[in-house]
Amino acid sequence: QIQLVQSGPELKKPGESVKISCKASGYTFTNYGMYWVKQAPGQGLQYMGWINTETGKPTYADDFKGRFVFFLETSASTAYLQINNLKNEDMATYFCASVGYYDGTPFDYWGQGVMVTVSS
Amino acid sequence: EIVLTQSPTTIAASPGEKVTITCRASSSVSYMYWYQQKSGASPKLWIYDTSKLASGVPNRFSGSGSGTSYSLTINTMETEDAATYYCQQWSSTPPTFGAGTKLELK
C-alpha cells in the first residue's frame, strides 16, 4: 500500500540543524511532487514549499527561504527537509505530502509528521 | 497570496444536527479543497474540486461554492465527524490553508 514514513521526533538546541526524512513506498516516487507542511503547536497548517521529484528542483514559500532545504535521495524514494540554524519558532510538527492527480482522481498521501522541539 | 478565512473558528454540534463551515477567499479561486484532521494525526483529504468527496468520505458530507465563497456541510452530524477542518486553495501560488474550524461534539 502507499505510505509515506517519516523519521522520528527530534530535540534540538537553538542554532543547531535538523534533517527530517520522508520515505515513500507503494508508488513511483518520481510521479508526484513532494510537499512540506508545518504545523506549530495548537496552530493550523502552513505550506512550506515543494520539491519536483523528477528534477530535484525545490520551490520554497517566502517564509521558508534561507534556512530550509528540500532535497531527495531518489534511489531510496526518500525526500528530506533540513532546517539550519534552528530558532524557537521552528518548533512544530513537519509533514511531507505526496500530492497530485492520477487518472482524474486526487493522489494525496501524507506522512505521520515529525515533531521538532527546539529548546536550550 | 490568497488568504482563506474560515468561519466559525469553533463549532459544537449534537448528533443528527446539520453543520456548515464556510471559507472565504481574498481573491477568486477555481476550486476549494477541504482536509479533516483529528488530534495527533495527519490531515486527510476530505473534499476536492470543491464538491467531490475523497475516497471513503461518507455521503453526509458535501461541498459547494464558487469564486470567493465556499462551504463544507455535514447533513447529519455523527460522533466520528468531530475534528478540525481546513480549506485549501491551489489556484494561486503559494497554495494556502484556512486557519481551521474545530468541530466539537455537543
Side-chain angles (χ1 to χ4, degrees):
Chain A
Q1 76 277 28
I2 295 170
Q3 279 189 299
L4 297 181
V5 178
Q6 296 185 244
S7 45
E10 299 275 2
L11 173 59
K12 295 289 183 181
K13 292 180 166 55
E16 292 184 336
S17 294
V18 67
K19 187 168 80 172
I20 295 165
S21 67
C22 171
K23 182 169 176 58
S25 61
Y27 72 100
T28 302
F29 181 68
T30 52
N31 278 0
Y32 302 96
M34 191 66 75
Y35 293 75
W36 291 93
V37 175
K38 176 184 177 183
Q39 187 168 38
Q43 301 300 306
L45 305 169
Q46 186 178 14
Y47 168 80
M48 301 174 66
W50 73 292
I51 185 164
N52 184 317
T53 51
E54 277 192 292
T55 64
K57 179 178 184 289
T59 301
Y60 302 96
D62 284 346
D63 287 348
F64 298 97
K65 291 177 179 173
R67 298 185 297 112
F68 298 82
V69 184
F70 307 149
F71 59 99
L72 305 172
E73 187 180 350
T74 305
S75 61
S77 298
T78 301
Y80 296 90
L81 163 64
Q82 181 164 313
I83 309 172
N84 299 316
N85 187 20
L86 279 161
K87 302 181 184 303
N88 290 334
E89 56 263 36
D90 297 328
M91 189 156 73
T93 296
Y94 293 88
F95 295 99
C96 59
S98 185
V99 175
Y101 273 83
Y102 175 74
D103 206 19
T105 59
F107 183 92
D108 193 288
Y109 292 88
W110 291 58
Q112 81 276 18
V114 174
M115 177 67 195
V116 174
T117 301
V118 182
S119 175
S120 53
Chain B
E1 77 178 38
I2 293 180
V3 176
L4 301 179
T5 303
Q6 288 186 235
S7 60
T9 304
T10 308
I11 184 170
S14 302
E17 199 172 331
K18 184 173 183 176
V19 176
T20 298
I21 298 168
T22 64
C23 179
R24 298 199 189 281
S26 59
S27 297
S28 181
V29 300
S30 301
Y31 295 102
M32 192 62 70
Y33 299 77
W34 294 88
Y35 283 85
Q36 181 198 68
Q37 186 181 32
K38 295 195 174 183
S39 183
S42 309
K44 291 182 181 179
L45 181 64
W46 215 243
I47 293 174
Y48 66 99
D49 293 355
T50 301
S51 60
K52 298 176 183 175
L53 302 184
S55 178
V57 174
N59 61 13
R60 62 181 177 273
F61 284 86
S62 63
S64 64
S66 65
T68 61
S69 184
Y70 293 84
S71 63
L72 176 156
T73 298
I74 307 173
N75 206 35
T76 50
M77 172 77 178
E78 296 207 7
T79 305
E80 65 189 33
D81 301 336
T84 299
Y85 293 85
Y86 294 93
C87 56
Q88 188 201 21
Q89 66 81 23
W90 288 92
S91 295
S92 172
T93 301
T96 48
F97 291 93
T101 294
K102 186 173 184 179
L103 173 58
E104 298 173 331
L105 194 62
K106 194 186 290 182

